[in-house]
Amino acid sequence: MSSIYVDHAATTPMLDSARTAMTLQLAQLGNPSSLHTHGRATRKTIEDARESIAKQVGCLASEVIFTASGTEANNIALKGLYWQGRDKGKQVVVISAIEHHAILDPAQWLADHEGAEVLLVPVSNSGVIDLDFLKDVVSKRGQEIAVISIMHSNNETGVLQPISEVVAIAGEIPVHCDAVQSFKKVPLSFSELGLYALTLSAHKIGGPLGIGALILRRTVEIPALLHGGGQEREIRSGTLNAPSIVGFATAAESEHFNAKNVQNLRDAFIEGLNKIIPDATINGSKANRLPGIINVTFPGTQSDTLLLLMDSQGVSCSTGSACSAGVHEASHVLLAMGHSVESAQSSLRFSFGASSTQADVDYILSVVPDVITRGRAANLS
Amino acid sequence: MKLIAAMSGGVDSAVAAARAVEAGHEVIGVHLALASNPQKYRSGARGCCTIEDSHDARRAADVIGIPFYIWDMAEEFHDGVVEDFLAEYAAGRTPNPCLRCNEKIKFAAVLDRARAMGFDGVVTGHYARTQISETGKTLHRAVDHSKDQSYVLSVLTIEQIAGAIFPLGDTTKVDIRKEAEARGLAVAQKPDSHDICFVPSGDNAGWLRDRLGSEVGPIVDQEGVKIGEHKGAYTYTIGQRKGLGLTVPTVDGSPRFVLKIEPVTNTVVVGAREDLAVSTMKGERPVWCGPGVTDQVLRGFVQVRAHGAALPCSYFFDGTLLVAQLDEPLLGLATGQAMVIYDGDRVVGSATICETA
């Protein structure tokens, strides 16, 4: 059976070069915090990697804080910047309605346990945040806002957000940006954007799982979540994961993701889809988007049924989010874009990556008609 | 065949799925999420569909080596099973929700969806057997009579039975556990589930009271004389003797039993043991699991509880109601229960008891 992977936004194949670099590092002995020769050798490798990643994201090396995931980086940033603001009497957290759960849930936790007031910036039908709403909030309540966190691009629709404008509106208010999906897919510079904090993850760009980074402006001191050996500016204690860091840097240095090629595949897919399933709609089609992600609504279907049928044809795609019991839920992103629960639950995400080919597109288009026909027949409720 | 295996996270459905794979079928495992707010852990031996159960089901599917998905059937389950359960109690009847779940969810919503998606049938871990005979596929008791679940499957139509695969019917539960162990399925020693899956505490009366209220009403004798009070008529069952809280003794000191529940007047009627005796029962909305029953009187057995005895009887269909006349009277029979007719081990059909005499 065919095996077509179109879920690169979930995770993407690890690059051979990253795997090789990581494997070599696994054989190296030495805790980077140790003062002897072995320790210094590992420390040097890590600092090389840190400088390399800094260069790729447009920040200083000292601004890179390694974490175990993008989720961890988001938690450190949002909670840390909130606590820092709260010490000055600022208790409002502003995020968008379409953030990843790794921002939504820590924000909710701050509201439930730490006295935060969370304000959600709505989005248009195209999935772009409402800058007028943000301006209004900042002008009325700017003095109370501890942190603003807006994602660089949405993981479900690929819609890019106007981060420069957000930073301009925010003025002195710290802005964090979850750029996990955008890094290495579209131009991204921490310093040019003028951010306080930015989140990256290695496995979305061909690096290993289990390593991410928080880019944090060097003058910003925030409380830690993990206390211990004082690594990473005392913001993230724990022995540094040298092999994964090396794999991360190798992937970040690679230029294997050709945005133009990926976008051509995406556009060919959309064109084919329009012909076969004329009533299918592309979510966020009017907005600027990442080259690889497409979110499609197939009226009269249920996405979990479609996923099963796609999977049984050898196509791995995604339904968006699921709750802890694994039950597919209507996407909060699509709901925020004005979808009904029913239509949000009839959508699939296809995300193409560097390894995707025209043959993948052709194959998926060849199975779509049957999948949609059966999916519609099975939508009995 | 291409089959959907309904996997609860328990040992039976896991072995059933494994056996279907071994028989050469193309099998996909599906866990039905039936609760809209599932609990994290199983507490005691209650039902299924906690988060832990869905993990167990997934793990079993992975060990067997089949694809696995979760289907959200919470809405269908709530409307078709939970609401029906409440409505039946509110009407003074005693429903069996497992039967309703098989009728409306597992072999209706799931089977219909599976067929529309191109599958041929649904595999479950029920203890029952099917046989191909001249008249088509028929439903039979499991070899392990102590675990037999043909009673709760008796609501399946011929069409539904055609799409149902029960791989466990020829084996005892003890052997299924051993087989699960041998197959490396971690659920091998998971306790059996009993009780009603959507009543987490196992306290049916309390659960009903929370939803139907606890309106105080009279407990009367057969002459209509009030001899006590109850807190919600639906928390009583026909034949119940304990917990009536009656302070007026009978003349001869003999115990009293619940004879009737009258929801409209919110009255519980009690009386002597012999007044519980039922020799004829009639059931509405009959379902035939094979050739239909006619007005011709036939000999067979009737069963009125999931693990009750098979009672010798004569039965026929009067055009509207399924009628069974017992050889020996039965004590305490609630309307709302299913009467299931057996011809030996074969399930003839079932109906919902609406009248007893």
Side-chain angles (χ1 to χ4, degrees):
Chain A
M1 192 175 66
S2 295
S3 171
I4 308 291
Y5 188 81
V6 269
D7 201 15
H8 290 268
T11 194
T12 196
M14 196 168 162
L15 293 171
D16 288 345
S17 56
R19 196 162 51 228
T20 305
M22 192 173 169
T23 310
L24 289 173
Q25 187 57 38
L26 279 167
Q28 299 302 314
L29 172 66
N31 184 324
S33 298
S34 298
L35 304 178
H36 45 59
T37 309
H38 289 94
R40 285 198 307 274
T42 307
R43 167 61 67 180
K44 175 174 187 301
T45 308
I46 285 172
E47 295 312 320
D48 287 347
R50 194 189 303 279
E51 284 175 14
S52 170
I53 289 167
K55 196 172 151 202
Q56 292 297 327
V57 71
C59 70
L60 301 170
S62 60
E63 291 175 322
V64 177
I65 294 171
F66 288 111
T67 63
S69 62
T71 295
E72 187 191 344
N74 279 345
N75 271 265
I76 295 174
L78 198 74
K79 292 174 184 171
L81 289 169
Y82 169 72
W83 284 324
Q84 189 197 51
R86 191 177 59 177
D87 289 347
K88 299 172 204 149
K90 299 171 194 282
Q91 291 191 229
V92 174
V93 171
V94 178
I95 63 174
S96 82
I98 57 165
E99 292 301 309
H100 189 276
H101 276 286
I103 285 293
L104 285 179
D105 290 20
Q108 186 59 47
W109 182 85
L110 287 173
D112 293 343
H113 300 280
E114 297 290 304
E117 179 188 350
V118 177
L119 298 179
L120 293 182
V121 181
V123 299
S124 67
N125 290 343
S126 303
V128 181
I129 59 159
D130 184 344
L131 287 173
D132 290 334
F133 179 96
L134 183 67
K135 267 181 216 159
D136 193 50
V137 166
V138 170
S139 75
K140 288 184 179 141
R141 307 192 60 184
Q143 291 306 309
E144 301 169 64
I145 301 173
V147 54
I148 298 172
S149 179
I150 308 286
M151 66 202 327
H152 197 273
S153 57
N154 183 266
N155 52 303
E156 293 186 34
T157 62
V159 171
L160 288 156
Q161 304 300 326
I163 300 300
S164 299
E165 286 87 333
V166 170
V167 173
I169 292 166
E172 296 299 305
I173 303 166
V175 179
H176 164 258
C177 176
D178 177 351
V180 160
Q181 291 295 343
S182 288
F183 186 43
K184 299 300 287 181
K185 312 283 165 51
V186 290
L188 177 71
S189 166
F190 181 73
S191 58
E192 280 175 24
L193 285 171
L195 291 161
Y196 270 64
L198 179 104
T199 293
L200 303 177
S201 171
H203 75 101
K204 308 284 193 192
I205 63 163
L209 290 156
I211 187 81
L214 172 66
I215 311 301
L216 184 67
R217 219 187 254 194
R218 55 178 277 278
T219 50
V220 176
E221 296 298 330
I222 55 173
L225 296 185
L226 299 184
H227 302 89
Q231 289 90 341
E232 303 299 89
R233 290 161 55 184
E234 296 193 350
I235 287 169
R236 207 279 184 181
S237 285
T239 301
L240 286 159
N241 181 350
S244 293
I245 289 169
V246 168
F248 185 4
T250 308
E253 288 156 14
S254 168
E255 296 301 333
H256 64 288
F257 186 93
N258 183 318
K260 185 93 181 55
N261 287 351
V262 175
Q263 187 167 332
N264 286 343
L265 289 179
R266 179 194 74 182
D267 293 345
F269 180 67
I270 294 173
E271 200 186 321
L273 212 51
N274 283 338
K275 283 186 196 143
I276 316 169
I277 315 288
D279 61 343
T281 54
I282 310 297
N283 295 304
S285 61
K286 293 197 182 77
N288 288 325
R289 282 172 295 150
L290 291 176
I293 296 181
I294 317 155
N295 193 298
V296 194
T297 299
F298 296 100
T301 66
Q302 280 182 299
S303 29
D304 52 353
T305 304
L306 297 184
L307 185 135
L308 188 161
L309 292 167
M310 283 286 184
D311 197 8
S312 61
Q313 296 295 327
V315 177
S316 295
C317 59
S318 161
T319 57
S321 50
C323 77
S324 47
V327 173
H328 173 59
E329 290 178 325
S331 151
H332 66 280
V333 175
L334 298 182
L335 292 176
M337 289 165 71
H339 279 265
S340 64
V341 169
E342 195 188 5
S343 111
Q345 282 186 321
S346 52
S347 307
L348 282 183
R349 179 186 73 181
F350 300 88
S351 49
F352 294 93
S355 55
S356 301
T357 63
Q358 181 63 42
D360 293 348
V361 172
D362 294 342
Y363 180 79
I364 303 167
L365 290 173
S366 77
V367 302
V368 160
D370 187 51
V371 165
I372 299 303
T373 304
R374 287 180 191 272
R376 286 188 171 150
N379 187 24
L380 305 158
S381 52
Chain B
M1 286 195 282
K2 283 181 71 177
L3 303 173
I4 293 284
M7 299 179 74
S8 67
V11 59
D12 297 327
S13 54
V15 173
R19 285 186 169 192
V21 171
E22 229 163 59
H25 301 299
E26 184 184 335
V27 181
I28 283 180
V30 165
H31 176 74
L32 306 177
L34 302 177
S36 43
N37 288 305
Q39 298 206 323
K40 279 191 177 160
Y41 306 103
R42 271 163 74 108
S43 43
R46 71 159 209 93
C48 44
C49 73
T50 61
I51 292 174
E52 194 178 19
D53 289 313
S54 86
H55 285 194
D56 288 347
R58 179 185 298 279
R59 177 70 186 141
D62 289 343
V63 170
I64 296 164
I66 55 174
F68 176 82
Y69 308 94
I70 291 171
W71 284 4
D72 181 8
M73 292 272 167
E75 213 176 299
E76 289 89 340
F77 186 76
H78 184 263
D79 295 351
V81 180
V82 182
E83 287 294 329
D84 173 82
F85 182 76
L86 279 171
E88 285 290 291
Y89 264 109
R93 293 189 289 264
T94 307
N96 182 324
C98 302
L99 204 125
R100 209 55 70 218
C101 181
N102 286 327
E103 179 188 3
K104 298 202 169 157
I105 309 296
K106 287 182 188 148
F107 299 96
V110 175
L111 182 59
D112 290 349
R113 192 168 168 186
R115 281 178 165 154
M117 290 168 79
F119 291 88
D120 302 301
V122 171
V123 178
T124 70
H126 284 110
Y127 286 81
R129 286 176 301 134
T130 56
Q131 278 178 16
I132 307 292
S133 68
E134 290 162 18
T135 54
K137 200 170 165 190
T138 49
L139 179 65
H140 299 259
R141 284 195 196 277
V143 167
D144 184 347
H145 277 212
S146 70
K147 281 285 161 191
D148 173 48
Q149 290 175 302
S150 58
Y151 179 86
V152 290
L153 294 167
S154 64
V155 281
L156 303 192
T157 61
I158 297 169
E159 260 270 274
Q160 290 170 321
I161 293 168
I165 316 282
F166 306 123
L168 306 191
D170 63 351
T171 315
T172 63
K173 177 83 185 203
V174 176
D175 287 340
I176 292 298
R177 286 201 184 277
K178 284 183 197 152
E179 183 176 331
E181 196 83 59
R183 289 178 184 277
L185 295 166
V187 289
Q189 295 311 325
K190 203 168 164 179
D192 283 4
S193 56
H194 337 263
D195 300 333
I196 296 169
C197 70
F198 52 84
V199 181
S201 59
D203 172 17
N204 283 5
W207 189 87
L208 286 166
R209 202 177 295 124
D210 289 347
R211 282 153 187 84
L212 297 174
S214 51
E215 197 193 331
V216 173
I219 297 180
V220 301
D221 64 17
Q222 279 171 289
E223 280 69 52
V225 179
K226 183 178 165 181
I227 51 174
E229 262 187 0
H230 67 75
K231 290 177 185 167
Y234 45 80
T235 59
Y236 295 83
T237 46
I238 306 294
Q240 181 177 338
R241 175 182 163 187
K242 288 181 179 156
L244 299 179
L246 298 176
T247 49
V248 186
T250 49
V251 180
D252 60 357
S254 61
R256 291 191 185 94
F257 299 83
V258 174
L259 299 181
K260 214 173 1 172
I261 294 157
E262 295 172 346
V264 178
T265 55
N266 193 30
T267 302
V268 173
V269 183
V270 296
R273 183 183 175 86
E274 56 267 28
D275 295 319
L276 282 171
V278 168
S279 16
T280 302
M281 66 184 87
K282 296 183 179 182
E284 59 190 358
R285 291 183 282 121
V287 176
W288 312 128
C289 305
V293 175
T294 65
D295 58 359
Q296 189 193 348
V297 179
L298 296 171
R299 292 290 299 164
F301 299 89
V302 63
Q303 189 175 324
V304 295
R305 289 186 194 94
H307 295 286
L311 311 164
C313 72
S314 299
Y315 66 92
F316 64 94
F317 180 54
D318 74 1
T320 314
L321 302 176
L322 174 62
V323 183
Q325 284 153 340
L326 295 165
D327 293 1
E328 300 282 340
L330 169 73
L331 291 181
L333 179 57
T335 56
Q337 287 175 221
M339 56 186 283
V340 180
I341 305 286
Y342 288 86
D343 172 15
D345 270 351
R346 181 176 73 83
V347 182
V348 173
S350 70
T352 306
I353 298 169
C354 58
E355 241 182 276
T356 59

